[in-house]
Amino acid sequence: MDMNSFRLDGKVALVTGAAYGIGFAIAEALAAAGAKIAFNCRSQKNLDEALKNYAAKGIDAHGYIADVTDEAQVKELVAKIEAEVGVIDILVNNAGIIKRIPMTEMSVEDFRQVVDIDLNAPFIVSKAVIPGMIAKGHGKIINICSMMSELGRETVSAYAAAKGGLKMLTKNICSEYGEHNIQCNGIGPGYIATPQTAPLRERQADGSRHPFDQFIVAKTPAARWGTPEDLMGPAVFLASDASNFVNGHILYVDGGILAYIGKQP
Ligand code: NAP
Ligand code: GCO
């Protein structure tokens, strides 16, 4: 086997919401494999900070301000990337939010906002890049799904609905554009230590670990939280020619959570 099939030299990758967290780590991994990196975020402050952090890693990233829920901004973003970096070969739909509110207390506005960012935006961004991929004759789309693409839990109704929908959008993009040599797959991270999950790991007033933190470590066969770095290898694989016959698949990177019934009493 030619191990160069894992390389991404010359490829243009757009990672959405990659100023920090999982998106930043995935962009770092794609860059290490040879890709040119474009990313977006929503504020100048985050953009400036992120560009410094990419430069500190030796990555010449192209950063833009764009809200992924706004189709006009996304079209402009893609046009700028095409002009300044090149036509996109790899799209990682990473930008996402969560709101932890019991369903009967959640406003419809909050529910809609989560679905808008976590599900509608991957549709908007994918729609904007697929024509360029068809013209190039290849493309890779990686949707960042979740444990909540498969499981429910208290307080995350909108997030679970959106991430479950994102799993099916993944399978549909595969079905609709596979014949154009476009592979669309998902990564379903387990519980990963990032700003999004920081509230679930906060130390208690008495210094003890958050009960949710203890619950997740007990529920994970690997017995730890994941790190953004745990997602690097899977992302490179799904972005590269090494996965050219993998399509419509969700790769769960969860330390074994979905395989495990839970600790016996
Ligand atoms: P994070 O640290 O909160 O980062 C999320 C990123 O998305 C931020 O850079 C944020 O930028 C950006 N973003 C949010 N809304 C946006 C919008 N409308 N337009 C552009 N960018 C936007 O979260 P993370 O933990 O790295 O999560 C990244 C992805 O992985 C999300 O889709 C999340 O649901 C998913 N995920 C996370 C975990 C986990 O355990 N952490 C597990 C499974 C899946 P701003 O600074 O502008 O808000
Ligand atoms: C939560 C978490 C999760 C994770 C992740 C799991 O409150 O349950 O934030 O939803 O972030 O998506 O895969």
Side-chain angles (χ1 to χ4, degrees):
M1 183 194 168
D2 181 1
M3 293 306 284
N4 284 323
S5 64
F6 288 92
R7 295 287 312 171
L8 303 175
D9 300 287
K11 297 279 168 69
V12 176
L14 166 60
V15 187
T16 67
Y20 53 86
I22 289 173
F24 184 90
I26 287 179
E28 187 187 341
L30 301 184
K36 295 183 213 165
I37 301 301
F39 72 95
N40 71 301
C41 61
R42 288 184 291 187
S43 72
Q44 189 65 48
K45 184 177 156 286
N46 283 355
L47 184 68
D48 294 343
E49 184 79 9
L51 285 172
K52 267 192 237 152
N53 291 334
Y54 279 107
K57 300 264 182 192
I59 301 166
D60 178 21
H62 300 256
Y64 303 87
I65 294 177
D67 183 328
V68 285
T69 63
D70 183 321
E71 189 167 25
Q73 288 186 32
V74 168
K75 279 185 180 165
E76 200 184 332
L77 168 72
V78 171
K80 274 192 197 154
I81 294 170
E82 286 186 359
E84 293 169 13
V85 194
V87 177
I88 294 163
D89 303 281
I90 300 160
L91 165 65
V92 183
N93 281 311
N94 165 77
I97 62 162
I98 191 165
K99 286 180 190 265
R100 301 181 183 97
I101 307 169
M103 187 174 135
T104 54
E105 291 162 31
M106 188 171 209
S107 69
V108 71
E109 289 76 21
D110 277 339
F111 191 94
R112 283 197 178 117
Q113 193 196 1
V114 174
V115 173
D116 211 24
I117 296 177
D118 293 359
L119 177 58
N120 298 345
F123 158 76
I124 290 170
V125 187
S126 301
K127 183 183 160 194
V129 303
I130 286 171
M133 290 177 169
I134 292 174
K136 267 192 159 176
H138 64 253
K140 299 278 184 182
I141 299 177
I142 302 172
N143 290 328
I144 305 302
C145 297
S146 164
M147 295 289 86
M148 273 63 214
S149 299
E150 299 294 339
L151 302 169
R153 93 170 182 81
E154 300 82 350
T155 75
V156 297
S157 58
Y159 187 80
K163 293 293 188 180
L166 186 57
K167 173 180 73 176
M168 289 314 300
L169 180 66
T170 304
K171 291 175 191 255
N172 217 81
I173 294 173
C174 149
S175 306
E176 207 163 337
Y177 296 102
E179 66 178 338
H180 293 283
N181 192 23
I182 293 174
Q183 290 83 46
C184 180
N185 293 290
I187 290 179
Y191 278 79
I192 311 295
T194 69
Q196 189 192 78
T197 52
L200 306 176
R201 283 174 284 106
E202 258 169 20
R203 287 272 166 187
Q204 300 300 279
D206 64 2
S208 64
R209 281 164 54 209
H210 194 296
F212 195 89
D213 177 0
Q214 299 183 35
F215 161 69
I216 281 303
V217 172
K219 185 75 188 80
T220 308
R224 65 170 174 88
W225 282 71
T227 65
E229 289 69 28
D230 287 319
L231 304 168
M232 288 176 153
V236 169
F237 169 62
L238 291 178
S240 73
D241 287 343
S243 61
N244 278 351
F245 205 54
V246 180
N247 210 350
H249 183 76
I250 311 299
L251 176 51
Y252 289 101
V253 184
D254 65 353
I257 294 177
L258 287 178
Y260 184 39
I261 194 167
K263 250 190 194 11
Q264 287 177 213

